[in-house]
Amino acid sequence: MYSHAFLSLRTPSPATSLPELKSDKLQTLGKWRSNFTVTVTSACTQRVVLVLHELGVEYDFIAVALMKGEHKDTSYTQDVHPFGRIPTLKDGNFQLFESRAICRYLVSKFGGTSTLNSDKQADAVQIGTLEQAISIEYSYFDPQIKALCYENVFKGYLGKGAASPDEVEKATDILTTCLDYYEALLSKQDYLTGNEFGLVDIFVMPWLPWFHVLKMDDLISGRPKFESWWKRMTARRSWQLVQESLPKTG
Amino acid sequence: MYSHAFLSLRTPSPATSLPELKSDKLQTLGKWRSNFTVTVTSACTQRVVLVLHELGVEYDFIAVALMKGEHKDTSYTQDVHPFGRIPTLKDGNFQLFESRAICRYLVSKFGGTSTLNSDKQADAVQIGTLEQAISIEYSYFDPQIKALCYENVFKGYLGKGAASPDEVEKATDILTTCLDYYEALLSKQDYLTGNEFGLVDIFVMPWLPWFHVLKMDDLISGRPKFESWWKRMTARRSWQLVQESLPKTG
């Protein structure tokens, strides 16, 4: 299982042409309808790649062999990521890890007039509201969908036994509350942070196909506003470029 | 078990006098050396209160009876916090939840020339570095110390059985890596985000006494730079005010 650990920027300024992603040996886990494929490429890496595409910044992938444990090698933990995770970003001599931090760095450096670049000149209420939305994604959405993937998919692959009913119930409860919150929010505004496409929309996007893998499509189809938002997200060119460029082996 | 759910600002501008915190029925879980007491007051609430003290902003507590489930009442989840958690902040007509978001709102509104107010006018590298530090605290420090408290302390109180050795081992491993990272960082700089006291220092602070409760003091005493940082944190007036004002029943 390969994934993308380094994202090395090709140019110090936004480029107009979009790069081909390098194809490597990613395993396909499932298909969602007819038009996109779920792979094990890390959601955190996809998050950063979506921002790169949205901003039109060229980059190269440097793959790290997770299954061989390269991300736990001393050379990796000493020089690249002290916690042995992916992705990391290299921009000239500057290195950064943590996907959301990388996204905010990219937006600050290359965001220009993009709607992603919303916190420049913001007042306290706007900052508080943006940070609240980011924290909701981080606290209630991401950990729960990740836990459900681990319990229901990865545990089996890793030979770690059956899903824990308690963990599945706990994660499902909080995720459902979060989707209810998003549904109510999206009845008042077009995107998760307001009426403009923003970073939190991108933070959530990589997890969308997993609802199908987890056989939880009804959590989406039962919420018309969220489903409409989802369709708008998957119609974005950045989403399509990421999906098309992911290797399809299944 | 009472805790603090609302923090309602008293004044729209910084005040010079510091408020008395209202005493309520918090349960003392342990003592750390002779000079402070650990209570079940939520670490997230303490995080916000530390910022209020640092900035000299007056506020009132409105307690919510967690053990009676008031935070799960429909009136609370509809009007105050959709996920039924604490703390929340009320500043005039503006309401906000998520402790780190509240802290950033307060810093933006009342921070002035405080070193906490570091992201105004910051460049991309400074923003990326700050967001990385915030994400490290959120990803590797907070969830692990929280998991250890749950496994080793709260499970017993809640009648949920013994700690899971797997969970304890996993959390201890990541927490240890995080403390190693902090130790290396603090050999190069005075605080967790640079040479000035910053928000990440505050985000970590409320967990400090729990190392003793968890009988993990050696994780601190074995790391001289981190221990020195810890001593500087607990010497701050904001820390002392929070500790002194917490009800002591044990």
Side-chain angles (χ1 to χ4, degrees), chain A residues 57-127:
Chain A
V57 180
E58 292 200 336
Y59 59 93
D60 289 304
F61 273 141
I62 300 167
V64 166
L66 296 183
M67 290 301 274
K68 290 184 188 166
E70 279 183 10
H71 57 309
K72 301 295 179 191
D73 284 354
T74 310
S75 64
Y76 187 77
T77 55
Q78 274 187 352
D79 300 336
V80 184
H81 197 311
F83 297 91
R85 306 280 176 101
I86 56 168
T88 66
L89 178 82
K90 189 164 160 36
D91 182 10
N93 290 324
F94 183 61
Q95 279 192 207
L96 201 63
F97 56 92
E98 295 301 284
S99 65
R100 294 168 187 81
I102 294 172
C103 292
R104 293 180 85 160
Y105 167 78
L106 292 169
V107 165
S108 176
K109 182 162 180 180
F110 301 113
T113 57
S114 162
T115 59
L116 301 182
N117 203 7
S118 64
D119 54 356
K120 294 265 179 192
Q121 313 297 332
D123 67 18
V125 168
Q126 290 167 329
I127 286 174

